[in-house]
Amino acid sequence: CPLPLHPAPCTLPPAPCPLHPAPCTLHPNIESPFMTETLALHIESLAAYAPTWGFFLIFFFMAVESSFIPFPSEVVMIPAGFLAWRQELTFQQTSIDFFIAFLAGLAGSLAGAYVNYFLAQKLGRPFLHRYGKYFFLSRPTLDRADQIFLEYGELATFVCRLLPGIRQLISLPAGLCNMDLKRFTLFTALGAGIWCLVLMFIGAWFGHLTEDMTYLEMVEQGSAMIERNMLWIVLGLAIIVILYILVHRRIMNPANTAAKQPETQEKTP
């Protein structure tokens, strides 16, 4: 920049926010590294209660994560897999603890998703646009979730459950559009279940490798592992979605239905 006192517009890039890797504008992403670190340290302090309250804590924090409150699921389900592998949960048996921890995480995810779904259905879009900013729901974020749901339909409630940033919010447009509750539950459970399993297997893998790992190291390395393999996760999702569409079209194809009707009539005496 020309001197003195920058008489011309400055061409230097904006200084990055100390809590975000990219330039920050009023902290649009609440799930910052600082927040993740703080939460990981607090979750680690609760590990002493894991044998008694572990499953309830998993359910509670995953319900919070799945609602409109920004909370990274990595700080819950990765340690859950780690503790299950090390037999430090209630039953002190790896397979049983792993399975029940998974069910607790899945139930919590559904509970939080139901909160979003019914709140959106009851309050409506104008209320969320006006007051959502007080609950970490900015209007651009809500509009983006709406756009994704309207563009991709009900399958978005499944696919977005495996994508960071939109995972919790996709339940809101589902409620606003009065998506069938049974189908909402099915797609949400499938997506949330896969996500919980991915995180728990990462934690179990760390438990297999070492017993000397802090929760923060676990969460950071687990998150990095997910980022490195995000391409494979997306490809796997694409395959599942394509298979679903093909099977759905084959079942719902009017030609197939019409072909079966004459056969039924011929068999009728």
Side-chain angles (χ1 to χ4, degrees):
C1 299
L3 295 177
L5 300 182
H6 300 272
C10 181
T11 57
L12 289 174
C17 170
L19 303 184
H20 296 80
C24 176
T25 56
L26 297 180
H27 301 274
N29 181 10
I30 302 297
E31 292 184 16
S32 65
F34 175 77
M35 180 183 180
T36 300
E37 178 179 348
T38 304
L39 290 173
L41 294 175
H42 280 83
I43 294 292
E44 187 168 14
S45 68
L46 296 173
Y49 304 99
T52 305
W53 297 99
F55 298 130
F56 171 77
L57 292 173
I58 292 170
F59 169 84
F60 174 78
F61 284 120
M62 287 304 291
V64 171
E65 183 273 341
S66 192
S67 69
F68 55 84
I69 301 173
F71 191 97
S73 55
E74 292 86 345
V75 303
V76 181
M77 297 311 298
I78 292 178
F82 185 83
L83 292 173
W85 180 269
R86 294 177 56 181
Q87 302 180 352
E88 294 183 10
L89 291 173
T90 303
F91 296 99
Q92 298 182 349
Q93 295 185 33
T94 299
S95 57
I96 297 177
D97 282 339
F98 192 95
F99 179 68
I100 297 180
F102 164 73
L103 291 181
L106 177 59
S109 297
L110 282 172
Y114 284 145
V115 169
N116 282 1
Y117 178 90
F118 288 115
L119 277 179
Q121 194 176 59
K122 182 72 173 178
L123 300 176
R125 190 174 282 105
F127 180 92
L128 293 177
H129 280 169
R130 185 171 183 179
Y131 298 105
K133 59 185 177 181
Y134 300 110
F135 302 96
F136 313 108
L137 299 172
S138 65
R139 181 160 185 164
T141 301
L142 291 169
D143 290 342
R144 179 57 179 156
D146 260 344
Q147 180 185 359
I148 291 174
F149 184 82
L150 293 174
E151 185 172 351
Y152 298 102
E154 296 177 341
L155 272 178
T157 57
F158 164 68
V159 175
C160 289
R161 277 280 152 185
L162 296 160
L163 301 177
I166 197 69
R167 183 163 49 243
Q168 303 94 331
L169 302 179
I170 199 62
S171 305
L172 293 172
L176 291 172
C177 296
N178 291 313
M179 178 179 174
D180 179 73
L181 184 59
K182 291 181 180 178
R183 293 179 65 80
F184 172 77
T185 300
L186 173 63
F187 286 128
T188 301
L190 286 175
I194 293 173
W195 182 245
C196 287
L197 282 176
V198 168
L199 296 180
M200 289 189 68
F201 277 124
I202 290 174
W205 174 249
F206 289 151
H208 168 73
L209 291 179
T210 178
E211 296 183 1
D212 232 1
M213 180 179 283
T214 67
Y215 277 35
L216 181 57
E217 292 172 338
M218 204 185 306
V219 171
E220 288 178 343
Q221 294 185 29
S223 300
M225 186 182 298
I226 292 172
E227 289 180 8
R228 289 195 303 268
N229 294 279
M230 183 56 69
L231 175 62
W232 299 109
I233 294 175
V234 173
L235 287 175
L237 281 175
I239 293 173
I240 293 174
V241 170
I242 291 172
L243 289 175
Y244 170 81
I245 292 173
L246 291 175
V247 171
H248 185 268
R249 286 182 177 177
R250 182 173 181 83
I251 293 175
M252 300 302 294
N253 188 356
N256 293 337
T257 306
K260 291 179 181 178
Q261 288 178 350
E263 295 178 4
T264 306
Q265 293 175 356
E266 289 177 3
K267 293 179 181 178
T268 304

